[in-house]
Structures are given as structure tokens and as C-alpha cells.
Amino acid sequence: MESRSTRIGIIGSGAIGGFYGLMLARAGFEVHFLLRSEYEAVREQGLSLQSAVHGQVHMQVNAYASAADVPPCDWLLVGAKATSNAELAPLIVQAAAAGARVVLLQNGLGVEDQLRPALRPDMHLLGGLCFICVNREAPGVIRHQALGAVNLGYHSGPAAGAALAIVEEGAALFHAAGIDSQAMENLDQARWQKLVWNVPYNGLSVLLQASTTPLMADADSRLLIQQLMAEVVQGAQACGQLLAQGYAEHLLRITEQMPDYWPSMYHDHAQQRPLELQAIYAEPLARARAAGCQLPRMEMLYQSLAFIDRRNRQA
């Protein structure tokens, strides 16, 4: 069982980082939150969670505007988007204790490969796959609609054969906070699995300006979701990652049972923030192409989103 003396740092304390950080703090862990634009609001008012699953949670938390002020942490959960990894890397290193475990709670492929060269050799790097409906309502206020599981996989570091033990240590940490978590032996496969949902719903929410319920209710958009899911499964297979038969249909059933949800990419688009196109679209497309596999619908969706993203940046 994970010791409550474990010190946890949250890098990027928005919807994802704020939710998991608050749940860990509520469970009695020592948690430290590094914030940017919301620092003043959180320092003065604390963090609030409005959860359909866990109820109302409000706590005064250890909030910091500078990584230099964060005490060395044993675990660092990176909840910021992959688009900011280059600027976050020095902050992660600064806040990491010796032998720290860094968990990227991010979408897409290649995010660990991107960050690894910027970390110290003694630091362990893990990937975290979050299955959750959560968004930021206001500075320091998080709304949680459904789900919440985190699946973990080891990427790299000085594990010397103890990688699975480290992953299980991380899963125990989330279990102690009342969060479902599983150790994944194949991180690359787990990331392809997550893409089966992320590719259609994130992109189509921006392109069609629609949340999950209307996307599922319309015959044409539902068919497009199914076709995009099938392409992701095909791309995974071409790259040597066989997904379980019926996995896409399983995700469709889960989405039908979810409350109506606007995916994170829609919120980034609405706030004119950079879209996570490299990790969710460009990288898997490049890997599939290198394996001799063409994914035309996913390519078209990516090209459309890239146009929208460039237009937002120009605005």
C-alpha cells in the first residue's frame, strides 16, 4: 500500500491535474500544486470539485506559482496538455526528488518520447491514460461528470527489471484515493486504445461543433465515428498493436451511457488554445504510414483541424 508520507506534485492543475490532485489530497496525501494563470485564485479560494460521483469537495491546497518553491516530490503528475511539454520539462526536473516517478496524464502517442531527453537519468517516466469526463468550470473550479479511471504503463528510467512494481506502486496510490487504476504492461498498446475514442470524438466536436450525445444520435456522424474508430484499430494493428476484438463497439456503448460531454479539444478550441494535433493525429498517422498503412478519414480530419488551429493562432 502506498505510504501517505509520499509527496506528490501536480504540474498543470487544470481539470485533469486538479481532479486527481484533489482526490489524492482528500485521501491524506501531501500534494503540491504548480499553477500558472489560476495561481492567485487558488491561493486565495482553494480548489473546488463538483463531482457527480464523489460529491462536493473543497480544500485549501499547497499552491505555487514557481517550480523553485515546490518541495522535491516523489511523484509528479503532469496534467498539462502535451502542447506545453517543452516549456514544462525544466519545471518537472526542478520539482522532482531523486528517483522521482513522473506520470504523463496526457493523450496521444509519442508524448513520453518527446519528454524523456529533458529528464534526469534517475527519473522514472510513466504514461497515464485517463478515462474521465471532467472540465474546468472557472479558475479553481472543476466539474466532474463521470468515470475517472487511470491506467498506468512504464516508459523508461532506471527500473532495472522493477518497472511493473513501480507501475503497481502508482496504481496503489490512485486506489488509496478511491480511483480505479490498472497497471498496463504495454504502454504503446494502451495509448492506441485511448486513441480509438480520442480521434473521433475530440476532432469531430471541434469540426461539427457538437458534443457526444448529438454526435451519437445522428446517423451520419455516428457512422463517421465508427469509421474513424475502425481506422485507428487498423493503424494500431499495422504498428504491431493488436486491440481486443469488439473494443471499438465497447467504447461506443460506454459513450452512449455517459452524460452529454464536450471533449477537451473542444474547450481548447473555444478558448483559442493550441490543439493537441501532434500527439493525437500527426504521430499515429506517421507511424501508420511508416508501416505501409493509409488512414484517409483520419488524415482528412487532421487536415481540417490543422486549418482551424492555424486560423485560431492567427486570430
Side-chain angles (χ1 to χ4, degrees), residues 112-179:
E112 292 88 7
D113 295 336
Q114 178 191 28
L115 186 64
R116 179 71 252 184
L119 302 183
R120 300 192 310 260
D122 67 285
M123 298 168 67
H124 301 272
L125 182 58
L126 294 80
L129 291 303
C130 304
F131 299 88
I132 186 169
C133 297
V134 67
N135 65 277
R136 172 186 166 278
E137 287 274 285
V141 180
I142 300 153
R143 178 177 176 236
H144 173 223
Q145 294 176 260
L147 307 177
V150 182
N151 293 339
L152 302 177
Y154 194 86
H155 178 268
S156 58
L164 186 57
I166 290 174
V167 174
E168 289 174 344
E169 180 185 345
L173 184 152
F174 285 106
H175 287 155
I179 302 294

Side-chain angles (χ1 to χ4, degrees), residues 55-75:
Q56 304 292 313
V57 180
H58 179 267
M59 296 183 69
Q60 292 298 133
V61 299
N62 302 311
Y64 307 86
S66 170
D69 297 328
V70 179
C73 293
D74 307 301
W75 285 84

Side-chain angles (χ1 to χ4, degrees), residues 226-259:
Q226 292 172 307
Q227 292 169 333
L228 285 164
M229 284 184 165
E231 282 198 354
V232 177
V233 172
Q234 180 186 354
Q237 183 174 351
C239 294
Q241 303 299 339
L242 299 180
L243 306 189
Q245 187 174 5
Y247 183 71
E249 290 75 14
H250 168 69
L251 291 183
L252 284 170
R253 289 193 296 270
I254 288 178
T255 307
E256 285 180 324
Q257 296 166 8
M258 284 168 33

